[in-house]
Amino acid sequence: MTTNYYRLPQVSNSDLSWLKNQLYPRENISDPTEAYAFGSLIDAMLTEPARVDYFKRTLDGKRVKKELFENAVKMKQAFRRDEFCATLTENSDGQKISIAHDREYNHRGFPFTLDVRCKWDIWREDWGWGGDIKSTTAQTQKEFEAAALYFDYDRQRAFYMDLQGAERDVLIGISKVNHRVFKIFINRESEFYKRGQDKYLELAFRWYLLFGKNKHEQHNH
């Protein structure tokens, strides 16, 4: 499922991240591979537990370093202890894929369409909204909110909300350092949402001008 998702032809928020990095390269960015792998482990523990073997300490059959695995377990436990997080994941769909064809957008008065996709960490069909889980080095709510803007999590959440037509959303951070759980609640009046929407519309419009309305084979990442 995961591999197939990334091969889909629709444009995703990750594709917009790729485009941003081509247009505005950042210097001295550390290799994100290990961070992504760790984030995938947390996501799997919380939303796709069948992928994790706690006895062998593996994710999808691949061995995980003992200290990383044990830290992920503590983070999972912190998430489960949080009353809201526990409620959110009850009766939820983990890793739900949403696809929209010919989705209409408007950037500064110029209408255009894209075929788009996203994959929700958590989706509550009965609520009509969901959220995303991030592992973070932040140790306070303020630090997590700053990290969310730096890493364009606002863009991701606005992109997901608009694709699905969700009125609300939540971004959840679990600290790798002190295992605190942070939450940013979002609606369409939130500055977080509005700023994120501005970010993704600019990149989506540039994508449309450069490549057309879908992914084709422009790049692989």
Side-chain angles (χ1 to χ4, degrees):
M1 177 69 80
T2 304
T3 305
N4 292 346
Y5 172 75
Y6 291 112
R7 289 180 179 169
L8 290 171
Q10 298 84 16
V11 180
S12 69
N13 181 63
S14 296
D15 295 320
L16 299 185
S17 294
W18 171 86
L19 178 58
K20 181 185 175 183
N21 289 336
Q22 306 307 304
L23 297 171
Y24 316 108
R26 281 182 178 175
E27 293 181 12
N28 302 321
I29 292 292
S30 60
D31 180 9
T33 308
E34 190 166 297
Y36 284 136
F38 188 75
S40 296
L41 176 60
I42 295 292
D43 286 349
M45 284 184 174
L46 292 169
T47 66
E48 296 180 294
R51 295 172 58 198
V52 182
D53 186 321
Y54 286 87
F55 296 104
K56 295 180 180 175
R57 291 200 303 274
T58 60
L59 172 64
D60 297 332
K62 293 180 183 175
R63 200 71 178 268
V64 180
K65 290 179 187 173
K66 183 181 179 184
E67 60 271 22
L68 291 179
F69 196 92
E70 289 179 349
N71 197 34
V73 169
K74 289 176 182 173
M75 293 165 68
K76 180 190 86 163
Q77 291 167 342
F79 180 95
R80 294 282 186 228
R81 281 195 301 269
D82 184 279
E83 192 174 342
F84 171 79
C85 293
T87 302
L88 177 68
T89 49
E90 285 173 11
N91 307 312
S92 67
D93 296 320
Q95 306 302 319
K96 169 191 162 68
I97 294 172
S98 297
I99 293 174
H101 294 285
D102 291 317
R103 177 73 171 75
E104 295 181 2
Y105 294 104
N106 191 300
H107 179 60
R108 298 183 179 176
F110 189 95
F112 64 101
T113 63
L114 286 183
D115 293 343
V116 287
R117 65 184 160 98
C118 70
K119 191 188 324 184
W120 299 80
D121 279 349
I122 303 167
W123 174 258
R124 282 288 300 248
E125 187 65 39
D126 53 341
W127 293 3
W129 58 283
D132 205 66
I133 303 164
K134 303 290 186 190
S135 56
T136 178
T137 55
Q139 299 183 58
T140 65
Q141 178 74 22
K142 189 175 180 182
E143 286 179 6
F144 180 62
E145 290 174 5
L149 299 183
Y150 180 79
F151 291 115
D152 291 329
Y153 296 159
D154 52 345
R155 186 187 79 214
Q156 180 203 40
R157 302 324 303 153
F159 182 86
Y160 280 43
M161 288 172 70
D162 287 355
L163 195 164
Q164 188 69 33
E167 294 294 322
R168 299 178 62 187
D169 193 81
V170 62
L171 179 66
I172 300 167
I174 314 173
S175 175
K176 295 188 259 194
V177 184
N178 61 10
H179 307 129
R180 288 184 60 190
V181 177
F182 311 112
K183 297 179 280 286
I184 299 175
F185 291 97
I186 308 155
N187 61 44
R188 291 179 181 273
E189 298 305 311
S190 307
E191 284 305 313
F192 192 87
Y193 165 80
K194 292 175 182 176
R195 188 168 42 227
Q197 188 184 54
D198 287 343
K199 285 182 179 180
Y200 92 67
L201 282 175
E202 183 201 344
L203 288 169
F205 182 57
R206 284 172 175 262
W207 184 284
Y208 172 79
L209 293 178
L210 288 166
F211 304 131
K213 72 173 188 174
N214 58 27
K215 191 172 169 182
H216 296 302
E217 296 300 321
Q218 269 79 32
H219 70 95
N220 292 297
H221 59 262

